[in-house]
């Protein structure tokens, strides 16, 4: 049986992780573990229940009734398919709030590890994507990529995604949200997005002027260099 392995891809908001990682998983016949979806789903549950995404006590109380499953690009929150809904900006900002809560992170990491274990045991690669997948979730990941791009480039890509989803937005507002999320994600106490990725074993990949295909090819060549494939 082939050996399972983990490629961990972390980086700031809208760096292209959510596009590159599933493409990579497809090419490698692996499992795409979108950890951000878990924080997004919890934020959505808060919104639906009318709980503030900053209300730590109430959020900890709803954690036991929070169930998330992935299947072929679909995301199920307590049995309901929410893949499109969790892409919206209200959920994005709320996810960054709930992700600052230590108890939330602990519960998510347990779930992420157990999902991955099953895949690896079956000899398949896991392509994990998020902010702490190479530091907290899979510190022994076989390949650690820090995918980034200039904030303006990321905001521009995000505007295109939002407009493709049928919503209207302003570049300046999106840039502000992207920078706010970056600041919240890098400055939180528990498992922040690291500021000096090179010190944590990441290979830094700035894809500001790379196409999606070039970025995927680059990661595949790095996986080959590590003899993973
Ligand atoms: O990656 P994505 O933008 O979907 O993640 C949404 C939010 O979830 C991030 O802004 C971040 O606050 C949080 N997150 C996290 N740790 C992860 C993945 C996402 O804190 N591993």
């Amino acid at each position: 049986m082939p050996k399972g392995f983990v490629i961990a891809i972390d980086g700031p908001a809208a760096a292209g992780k959510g596009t590159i990682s599933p493409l990579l998983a497809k090419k490698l016949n692996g499992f795409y573990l979108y950890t951000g979806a878990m924080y997004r789903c919890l934020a959505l549950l808060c919104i639906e229940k009318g709980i503030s995404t900053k209300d730590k006590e109430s959020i900890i109380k709803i954690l036991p009734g929070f169930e998330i499953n992935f299947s072929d690009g679909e995301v199920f929150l307590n049995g309901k398919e929410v893949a499109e809904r969790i892409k919206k900006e209200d959920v994005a900002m709320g996810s960054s709030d709930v992700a600052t809560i230590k108890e939330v992170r602990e519960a998510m990491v347990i779930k992420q590890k157990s999902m991955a274990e099953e895949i690896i045991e079956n000899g398949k690669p896991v392509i994990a994507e998020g902010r702490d997948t190479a530091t907290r979730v899979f510190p022994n990941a076989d390949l650690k990529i820090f995918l980034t791009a200039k904030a303006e480039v990321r905001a521009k890509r995000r505007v295109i995604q939002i407009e493709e989803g049928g919503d209207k937005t302003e570049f300046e507002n999106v840039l502000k949200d992207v920078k706010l999320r970056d600041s919240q994600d890098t400055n939180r106490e528990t498992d922040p997005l690291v500021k000096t990725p090179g010190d944590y074993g990441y290979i830094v990949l700035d894809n500001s002027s790379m196409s999606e295909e070039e970025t995927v090819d680059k990661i595949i060549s790095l996986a080959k260099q590590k003899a993973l494939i």
Side-chain angles (χ1 to χ4, degrees):
M1 187 162 68
K3 191 173 91 50
F5 58 86
V6 176
I7 299 181
I9 304 181
D10 293 329
K17 303 183 302 295
T19 312
I20 301 306
S21 308
L23 284 174
L24 193 63
K26 204 168 192 182
K27 282 208 171 182
L28 300 180
N29 190 26
F31 178 75
Y32 168 44
L33 180 58
Y34 175 19
T35 62
M38 300 191 180
Y39 298 94
R40 284 176 181 258
C41 280
L42 183 58
L44 176 58
L45 191 61
C46 291
I47 292 168
E48 286 180 351
K49 286 185 178 289
I51 296 172
S52 159
T53 50
K54 295 183 194 295
D55 181 351
K56 183 177 159 187
E57 303 289 301
S58 303
I59 293 170
I60 293 172
K61 274 195 202 133
I62 62 168
L63 268 180
F66 170 75
E67 180 67 43
I68 177 163
N69 291 292
F70 298 120
S71 164
D72 271 339
E74 293 184 311
V75 180
F76 294 91
L77 165 62
N78 293 344
K80 190 169 87 182
E81 212 290 307
V82 294
E84 284 308 309
R85 176 67 185 94
I86 61 169
K87 288 182 187 165
K88 305 285 180 195
E89 278 307 286
D90 59 337
V91 173
M93 274 315 300
S95 62
S96 180
D97 292 337
V98 301
T100 61
I101 303 169
K102 187 169 132 266
E103 290 81 353
V104 165
R105 303 202 67 84
E106 284 170 358
M108 299 300 185
V109 169
I110 290 171
K111 175 87 177 151
Q112 290 155 15
K113 283 186 170 167
S114 84
M115 276 174 143
E117 257 165 36
E118 215 182 300
I119 310 291
I120 295 167
E121 267 171 26
N122 288 324
K124 279 196 165 197
V126 172
I127 317 301
E129 178 242 301
R131 302 292 184 287
D132 62 346
T133 67
T135 53
R136 166 63 61 201
V137 194
F138 307 111
N140 297 321
D142 301 86
L143 177 60
K144 301 179 178 187
I145 303 287
F146 193 90
L147 191 65
T148 187
K150 293 186 186 74
E152 287 72 16
V153 173
R154 292 186 280 126
K156 213 175 268 175
R157 289 178 185 161
R158 189 74 193 109
V159 167
I160 294 170
Q161 274 176 2
I162 292 171
E163 289 178 348
E164 279 174 357
D167 293 324
K168 289 227 169 307
T169 190
E170 293 289 330
F171 173 79
E172 288 306 326
N173 290 343
V174 175
L175 182 61
K176 205 175 81 206
D177 279 0
V178 161
K179 285 184 174 170
L180 184 62
R181 271 213 286 154
D182 286 353
S183 155
Q184 204 156 272
D185 292 348
T186 46
N187 292 313
R188 68 172 174 237
E189 254 173 52
T190 313
D191 301 334
L193 178 70
V194 297
K195 290 180 184 159
T196 54
D199 296 341
Y200 294 82
Y202 285 103
I203 295 168
V204 179
L205 198 54
D206 184 323
N207 70 0
S208 298
S209 47
M210 286 166 84
S211 69
E212 285 167 6
E213 200 171 28
E214 283 168 339
T215 309
V216 172
D217 287 349
K218 177 70 191 171
I219 298 174
I220 287 183
S221 81
L222 290 168
K224 281 185 181 153
Q225 276 173 30
K226 293 230 170 209
L228 296 176
I229 49 175

